[in-house]
Amino acid sequence: MGGTVVQTSNRICSLVLVSSDFTTKVTAQAIVLPQLTKILPRFQPTREQRGEWSPIQLADPICHSPSQIDLVIGSDLTPQIMLEGIEHISKNLLAQKTIFGWILSGQMPNKVVSFSTQVEQNSNQLLESQLRKFWEVEEVPTPNLTNPEDKLCEELYLSTTSRTPEGPYIVRLPFKQSFPNEITLGQSRTTALQQFFGMGRSLQKKGDLKPLYDNVLGEYRTLNHMEETTSYEKSSEGKYYSFYLPTTRLSNPRKEPPRYVSYLMHHGDQVPDSLLMMFSPTGPTLQPDLMLLILKGHTYQFVFNGDVEKMYRQILLHKDHQNYQRIVFRSSPSSPIRDYRLRTVKFGVNCAPFLAIRTLHQLSDDVKITYPLAVPILKTETTYFQEVMTSSQQLNLSPKSFKL
C-alpha cells in the first residue's frame, strides 16, 4: 500500500457506499492510511485500446487518465457490490458489472506488473540507493550530464522568463511536456485541509509556536507574497489545474527569523506522487558543490560570507502558475478557512533550486557591465540555500577595506 512495505494507521472511519442510481447502500469501515497508492494508472492506454471498451458505461469514464486514488475497496465488500454481468472485451481484459457501473480488470500487454513485484522493486531500489550513497561519500563528485529534461528546463526559462520594471524576475514552473495531456493532477484541497486541521491541533498544544506560525503567514501577506483566492479547485474535463501544498510543520521554529517550511512537499516514499516530482523536472544542477566550495575557502587568506535575504521569495511566479501553489489558512479556530495562492517561488518544491540559481545567473548576465566583480561570485560561489562564500581576493579588495 502506498508503494511501501509497511504502513501504520491509528484511525478508522465509517462510510456508506452508494450505487450510481442511489438504490443500493453498503455500510463499511475504512482504515485511514498516509497514502493509498501511487498515481494510477501508471501509463496511458492507446486510443485503439480505449476503443475496445468505449461502448460500455464504466463506473469511472476516465479510468484511463492517471490520477490520485482516494479509496481502495477490499475483497470483503466484493459480494455486496458485484452484480450479474460479465463481458469479455479481449483475451486479457474483462468487464464486470457493479452497483457503481462497469469496471475493468485484466492485463494490458507489457505494461502492468503485480503489486507484490512493485513493492519488492521499490524496496530494492531504496536499498541500492542507500548503498550507493554510502560508497560515494568520499568520492569527488562528477559533473551531471545534460539530459533532455535539463535542456527543456533551460529552454523554458529562456523563453518564458521576464523582468518587471521594479527589478524582480517572473518565472514559470517547468512542467513536463506530458502534463496535463498524459499525466494529470487530482483533487488536493481535501487532503490539505485534513493536514491543516491536524497541524492546528498540534500548535494548540504548543502555544509558543502558534504566534510564530501566524507571524510568518502575516509576513507573507504584508509583503504581498501571497494573495487570497477562491475556495474551489480549478478543473476541466476531469483534469485539475490547481494544487494545494500539503501542510507539515515548522522546522527550527525558534530560529530568528524563523524559516517558513510549513508547506514543503512530503519526503520519502510519498515524493513520486507529489506535485513537482511527478509533473515537473528538477532541472540541471547549477550551484557549486558545497564541500568543494568550503574547501576552496581554505585557499583564501581572508574569507567572508553573505546571505541573499528571502532569495526564493524575491522571484515572482507567473500568474498562470500561482494556482499550483495554493495553501489554506485561518488565524484562529473560530475564523473561517481562507484559501491563498503563493505569488513567489516556494522553497521546497522540486524545481525551486534551479529557478533560484538560474535567476541569479540571469541577474549576473544582466548586470555584468555595471557590476563585473559580482558575476563570478553569483555564478560560482552562491549555494541554493542563499549563502554566498567568497574572499577579498575575488573582489580585488584589501583586508583593511572590510570588517570581518
Side-chain angles (χ1 to χ4, degrees), residues 361-389:
H361 290 187
Q362 186 62 47
L363 174 63
S364 67
D365 290 339
D366 294 343
V367 301
K368 60 184 178 182
I369 298 178
T370 310
Y371 303 101
L373 295 179
V375 173
I377 296 175
L378 291 178
K379 286 196 172 183
T380 64
E381 298 189 338
T382 304
T383 68
Y384 70 90
F385 46 86
Q386 313 172 63
E387 299 290 340
V388 178
M389 296 184 63

Side-chain angles (χ1 to χ4, degrees), residues 119-233:
V119 171
E120 181 66 23
Q121 180 181 1
N122 286 347
S123 177
N124 288 340
Q125 288 178 345
L126 178 61
L127 178 60
E128 181 182 344
S129 174
Q130 291 175 338
L131 287 174
R132 184 184 300 111
K133 290 179 180 179
F134 174 79
W135 290 111
E136 291 178 353
V137 165
E138 300 296 334
E139 292 184 4
V140 177
T142 56
N144 293 327
L145 299 178
T146 303
N147 57 48
E149 286 191 348
D150 291 345
K151 293 181 180 179
L152 173 64
C153 288
E154 177 64 18
E155 291 171 358
L156 286 175
Y157 185 91
L158 290 174
S159 61
T160 61
T161 300
S162 59
R163 194 176 185 184
T164 67
E166 294 77 20
Y169 288 85
I170 304 175
V171 301
R172 293 176 184 255
L173 299 175
F175 286 110
K176 293 182 178 180
Q177 291 178 314
S178 54
F179 176 81
N181 296 324
E182 298 179 13
I183 54 176
T184 59
L185 287 169
Q187 294 180 341
S188 56
R189 189 175 187 271
T190 301
T191 302
L193 280 171
Q194 292 172 347
Q195 293 173 333
F196 177 79
F197 291 143
M199 190 186 69
R201 291 190 293 268
S202 177
L203 290 178
Q204 289 297 330
K205 297 177 183 178
K206 302 176 181 179
D208 56 332
L209 296 184
K210 186 66 167 63
L212 289 175
Y213 179 82
D214 292 342
N215 289 341
V216 175
L217 266 295
E219 183 188 61
Y220 260 75
R221 286 181 291 189
T222 301
L223 298 178
N224 199 27
H225 290 172
M226 73 178 187
E227 62 184 11
E228 192 169 351
T229 185
T230 58
S231 60
Y232 58 85
E233 300 184 65

Side-chain angles (χ1 to χ4, degrees), residues 5-37:
V5 178
V6 177
Q7 281 198 97
T8 58
S9 174
N10 56 9
R11 289 183 294 170
I12 293 180
C13 68
S14 300
L15 50 86
V16 178
L17 305 177
V18 184
S19 62
S20 54
D21 58 3
F22 302 100
T23 59
T24 304
K25 297 183 179 180
V26 178
T27 303
Q29 284 191 326
I31 299 173
V32 181
L33 292 174
Q35 185 181 14
L36 295 183
T37 68

